[in-house]
Amino acid sequence: NEQQLEAAFQARIDAEEKIEPKDWMPERYRKNLIRQISQHAHSEVIGMQPEGNWITRAPTLHRKAVLLAKVQDECGHGLYLYSATETLGITREELIEALHSGAAKYASIFNYPSLTWADIGAIGWLVDGAAIVNQVSLQRTSYGPYARGMVRICKEESFHQRQGYHIMMTLMQGSDEQRAMAQDAVNRFWWPSLMMFGPHDAESAHSAQSMTWKIKRQSNDELRQKFVDQSVEQAEVIGLTLPDPDLKWNEERGHYDFGEIDWDEFNRVISGSGPCNRQRIAHHVAAHEDGAWVREAIAAHEAKKQQRASK
Ligand code: 3HC
């Protein structure tokens, strides 16, 4: 019966077995994964917008080529993750509909505008940096297709972070205006990057269950702390100041203490009232509609191929 099935499932999770698409799984496990993996995919795809905004305005051909490659990678990450979600019995159309209707979330960080070239450096260094901390941990998630997608994505992410950090380092070795531009970008992206790790563990709706099912291997606060600790040194090395007066090394804890996140801002942005939420969805809807003819052409071509094959 259901109890025995759930107990056997939990025993597999506890034994560090990977759950595969055809395995029995609790409906709530399936739903939790569809929620998290599809939102992860949406984040990758929506994340293409703030960065894509600077491809035509990159300062050198080299920076343009690197940014093009990164944005293309993000799209690929989105496709891996949509495919992983579809193994759980939901269609791409349903996932896109959930994004367009606002039913599905995506990483709040992408609802902030990319105002200057330095923002591209801050996004690569901080946003991809935070994503890497989260995704390295997710390589050990209990659902097979998600874990394998993470392994592949992590291989590409380190280049994303390094190119962002290189942009910031270059600017900090430049003119006063360039240094000011880099510092301004950090001032605007630092706190929203911390929000990428989600609410505090005590306020996290899904963490307890996600940890029991080993969907989540480390908690929101634990990963956030890891990201803060690594970022402080990286900022100091290139002369950037992180915009948090409470940031201080705590010898006892062996970590940096840091200030409180503005959770009102967090809740505003994840519930749709961030600076760019409407623009990001409108852009995605327009691109989806403009691209409908491509999907129809592929379907028509496929149907003709089937017809010819069945003659
Ligand atoms: N942005 C938007 N929504 C967020 C959020 C954020 N930064 N942090 C939390 N939330 C949402 C959760 O989705 C959940 O809402 P829901 O029930 O409607 O889904 C609610 O806030 C409560 O948060 P929980 O901690 O209870 O939720 P989770 O257990 O799902 O933890 C998470 C949140 C850590 C973000 C987890 O969902 C996760 O690890 N997601 C996959 C990783 C991810 O999305 N990373 C960002 C990718 S961006 C990227 O990689 C592009 C980069 O390469 C440029």
Side-chain angles (χ1 to χ4, degrees), residues 80-129:
Y80 301 154
L81 291 167
Y82 281 133
S83 302
T85 315
E86 287 161 18
T87 65
L88 290 156
I90 187 165
T91 66
R92 181 71 59 91
E93 290 71 21
E94 289 169 299
L95 297 174
I96 300 301
E97 175 45 38
L99 174 66
H100 289 174
S101 69
K105 293 184 169 69
Y106 54 89
S108 50
I109 187 81
F110 298 123
N111 287 312
Y112 292 82
S114 50
L115 301 174
T116 71
W117 171 252
D119 288 12
I120 298 304
I123 289 173
W125 170 41
L126 296 174
V127 175
D128 283 73

Side-chain angles (χ1 to χ4, degrees), residues 241-309:
T241 309
L242 295 177
D244 177 0
D246 299 329
L247 208 51
K248 195 160 57 40
W249 176 252
N250 180 320
E251 194 48 45
E252 223 173 282
R253 283 194 328 119
H255 292 290
Y256 281 91
D257 290 338
F258 55 100
E260 195 46 64
I261 288 169
D262 177 347
W263 295 109
D264 293 340
E265 177 180 337
F266 172 80
N267 288 314
R268 240 189 350 268
V269 178
I270 73 168
S271 53
S273 323
C276 300
N277 295 54
R278 270 186 297 284
Q279 168 190 339
R280 298 288 185 235
I281 296 301
H283 182 96
H284 192 282
V285 170
H288 190 68
E289 285 166 0
D290 293 352
W293 69 273
V294 177
R295 294 191 294 278
E296 283 150 24
I298 292 169
H301 176 69
E302 208 42 48
K304 265 193 225 149
K305 242 172 55 182
Q306 300 294 346
Q307 234 173 6
R308 274 198 297 274

Side-chain angles (χ1 to χ4, degrees), residues 32 35-37 39-41 43-45 47 51 70 74 77 103-110 123 127-128 130-132 134-135 138 146 150 153 157 160 192 194-200 203-207 210 216 220 223 266-267 269-270:
N32 193 346
R35 170 194 68 84
Q36 175 163 335
I37 309 173
Q39 291 179 176
H40 197 156
S43 304
E44 301 280 3
V45 170
E51 292 187 303
K70 178 176 189 305
E74 307 302 0
H77 296 175
K105 293 184 169 69
Y106 54 89
S108 50
I109 187 81
F110 298 123
I123 289 173
V127 175
D128 283 73
I132 289 172
N134 170 281
Q135 289 168 159
L138 275 171
Y146 195 18
M150 282 298 105
I153 285 172
E157 288 286 10
H160 296 173
L194 297 191
M195 294 176 197
M196 281 176 71
F197 293 95
H200 281 308
E203 280 83 50
S204 165
H206 301 286
S207 284
S210 290
K216 191 180 269 191
N220 296 0
L223 291 177
F266 172 80
N267 288 314
V269 178
I270 73 168

Side-chain angles (χ1 to χ4, degrees), residues 124-230:
W125 170 41
L126 296 174
V127 175
D128 283 73
I132 289 172
V133 169
N134 170 281
Q135 289 168 159
V136 162
S137 178
L138 275 171
Q139 288 178 124
R140 294 171 43 239
T141 192
S142 55
Y143 187 56
Y146 195 18
R148 292 188 291 272
M150 282 298 105
V151 170
R152 173 124 186 232
I153 285 172
C154 286
K155 286 190 170 52
E156 294 173 343
E157 288 286 10
S158 50
F159 137 66
H160 296 173
Q161 184 187 24
R162 208 169 46 249
Q163 62 84 38
Y165 190 60
H166 187 260
I167 289 173
M168 297 308 264
M169 187 173 70
T170 308
L171 289 169
M172 289 308 282
Q173 292 164 349
S175 66
D176 288 350
E177 290 78 9
Q178 287 172 319
R179 292 165 60 83
M181 184 167 71
Q183 184 59 57
D184 166 59
V186 171
N187 293 346
R188 284 184 287 108
F189 275 90
W190 172 247
W191 290 101
S193 298
L194 297 191
M195 294 176 197
M196 281 176 71
F197 293 95
H200 281 308
D201 298 343
E203 280 83 50
S204 165
H206 301 286
S207 284
Q209 184 61 67
S210 290
M211 297 286 265
T212 307
W213 279 332
K214 297 185 181 175
I215 292 173
K216 191 180 269 191
R217 301 301 298 240
Q218 290 164 280
S219 80
N220 296 0
D221 286 324
E222 189 184 341
L223 291 177
R224 190 179 356 256
Q225 181 66 66
K226 188 162 180 282
F227 172 69
V228 170
D229 291 346
Q230 76 183 33

